[in-house]
Amino acid sequence: MIEFKEVSKTYRVAKRQSGMGNAVKSFFSREYKIIRALQEVSFTVRDGEMIGYIGPNGAGKSTTIKIMCGVLTPESGECVVDGRVPYRERVAHVRNIGVVFGQRSQLWWDVPVMDSFDLIRDIYRVDGNTYRRNVKELTELLDLGEILQTPVRTLSLGQRMRCEIAASLLHDPRVLFLDEPTIGLDAVSKLAVRKFIRELNARKGTTIVLTTHDMQDIEALTERILLIGRGRILLDGKLSDVKKQISERKTMVITYQGEAPALREGMKLVEAGKGRITVSFEPSENPVPGVIAYFAANTGLLDVSVSDITTEEMVAQMYKEYNL
């Protein structure tokens, strides 16, 4: 479905010192800095797969998305999406992709949402039956209702993002690019958007590439992640496997009554409160059943829960490991 083969892209950015004198000087002699946004990046996304594309700011995520959308042309290498080279067959290519940028809008600010949908229908030349079916389906799934008759400028951020996602799917795209789709949303809106994305992938087999700094989005939606840093792919694998590779460490939350228990050797106290402590440990040193038995024997144990390393902790550790 998506093939990236040794794609490279650089930018030439003008540099100058602040001040009027330096501004005048820059008219006659200008310094440039070369930024290597992508350096021989290669990866493949299968048809119907949903992947998380993560990395720090400036790592090259947006450049990758823009090349896959046909907005940018790489300096070397090849990008093929659904059998087409995006930047050579742009018109045919965009008929089969949908794009949602969390900080940019494809809706017209001062008109009702439905008017924007009608215009998008004409731009993509969606036939009447398909358009009516998709509007009805998306309205139900994303709970748009009366929002469709409301000017975009009066919508809340969560309402607007649901409309943005609907707008990107009116023409039945085979590939959907989501760039920070839940940025700034409240908890209820995030859950609604995540549920819809999962259902879309399951029902229609839409290939989805998700870029985000919200690791809960990654954990809720994707099984495979790509980590990019300084323009290079540093890691590609299943989220569960990457977690195990980074750390087997377990986190245990113990709720108790009475005196706080002493910790065994090899345990690290993460958080402590009244009647509740959180500890972390390596199962190879302290097997989980033994840890539970220890706390049951040495304190008035009320409840216990065990979890793996969180996605946020995993990503923070990867950034530190790769010096990003």
Side-chain angles (χ1 to χ4, degrees):
M1 170 59 73
I2 299 176
E3 280 191 276
F4 239 57
K5 295 181 180 178
E6 298 186 348
V7 173
S8 296
K9 180 68 176 178
T10 60
Y11 298 104
R12 195 171 73 142
V13 180
K15 291 174 55 182
R16 74 169 177 84
Q17 300 296 322
S18 60
M20 181 61 70
N22 288 313
V24 174
K25 183 180 177 182
S26 68
F27 279 109
F28 304 98
S29 176
R30 185 167 294 186
E31 265 186 80
Y32 291 93
K33 178 182 178 181
I34 301 299
I35 297 176
R36 302 186 184 280
L38 297 178
Q39 302 182 60
E40 298 182 347
V41 170
S42 297
F43 62 83
T44 301
V45 181
R46 299 187 302 274
D47 192 11
E49 190 174 14
M50 186 158 52
I51 69 163
Y53 193 45
I54 64 174
N57 292 327
K61 300 188 299 298
S62 294
T63 298
T64 305
I65 296 295
K66 288 175 181 176
I67 289 174
M68 289 191 286
C69 292
V71 176
L72 293 178
T73 302
E75 292 172 1
S76 63
E78 185 178 18
C79 171
V80 179
V81 179
D82 199 19
R84 297 186 181 89
V85 179
Y87 38 89
R88 292 179 189 154
E89 307 167 77
R90 186 175 298 178
V91 174
H93 174 64
V94 297
R95 287 177 181 156
N96 291 299
I97 67 169
V99 185
V100 177
F101 289 105
Q103 301 187 62
R104 296 183 183 180
S105 179
Q106 60 187 315
L107 304 174
W108 279 260
W109 200 243
D110 293 311
V111 301
V113 173
M114 198 64 201
D115 288 357
S116 291
F117 283 7
D118 290 341
L119 184 55
I120 291 170
R121 173 200 60 196
D122 294 338
I123 291 172
Y124 285 96
R125 300 177 184 176
V126 183
D127 70 81
N129 291 332
T130 300
Y131 176 68
R132 286 188 291 273
R133 182 197 71 213
N134 286 346
V135 168
K136 181 180 178 182
E137 184 178 274
L138 292 166
T139 298
E140 293 174 355
L141 290 173
L142 287 167
D143 191 23
L144 301 182
E146 295 181 0
I147 296 176
L148 294 179
Q149 305 306 324
T150 305
V152 175
R153 59 182 168 77
T154 65
L155 299 179
S156 70
L157 181 58
Q159 292 171 329
R160 184 175 67 79
M161 285 309 303
R162 296 205 305 272
C163 292
E164 294 281 359
I165 293 173
S168 69
L169 295 170
L170 292 172
H171 57 295
D172 281 334
R174 286 172 45 80
V175 186
L176 180 63
F177 298 106
L178 299 173
D179 188 7
E180 299 280 3
T182 63
I183 187 170
L185 300 190
D186 59 59
V188 174
S189 297
K190 282 187 178 184
L191 291 174
V193 168
R194 288 170 187 160
K195 179 182 178 183
F196 172 75
I197 293 170
R198 284 194 300 268
E199 290 179 356
L200 174 71
N201 177 256
R203 288 190 307 105
K204 293 191 175 183
T206 306
T207 304
I208 297 173
V209 178
L210 169 68
T211 69
T212 180
H213 291 294
D214 189 334
M215 292 304 110
Q216 290 183 347
D217 287 347
I218 296 295
E219 195 151 26
L221 296 172
T222 67
E223 292 186 355
R224 174 188 170 200
I225 61 168
L226 292 170
L227 172 66
I228 186 171
R230 294 188 294 276
R232 296 184 182 275
I233 296 295
L234 303 176
L235 189 147
D236 180 357
K238 284 189 175 181
L239 183 60
S240 56
D241 293 341
V242 173
K243 279 187 175 182
K244 290 179 181 178
Q245 179 183 334
I246 294 297
S247 178
E248 292 280 358
R249 201 168 186 85
K250 299 286 186 181
T251 298
M252 181 177 289
V253 180
I254 300 102
T255 305
Y256 61 92
Q257 60 183 1
E259 295 293 322
L263 301 186
R264 293 173 66 175
E265 186 178 350
M267 292 184 184
K268 179 182 177 183
L269 181 64
V270 177
E271 187 179 354
K274 187 176 180 180
R276 183 186 179 97
I277 61 170
T278 302
V279 299
S280 66
F281 56 90
E282 292 287 348
S284 57
E285 299 177 13
N286 288 288
V288 173
V291 174
I292 295 174
Y294 169 78
F295 284 115
N298 290 277
T299 189
L301 186 64
L302 298 177
D303 191 21
V304 62
S305 65
V306 185
S307 61
D308 294 320
I309 183 175
T310 67
T311 305
E312 285 86 353
E313 291 171 331
M314 177 199 74
V315 171
Q317 198 164 326
M318 285 193 298
Y319 284 7
K320 183 177 181 181
E321 181 180 332
Y322 291 108
N323 195 27
L324 298 179

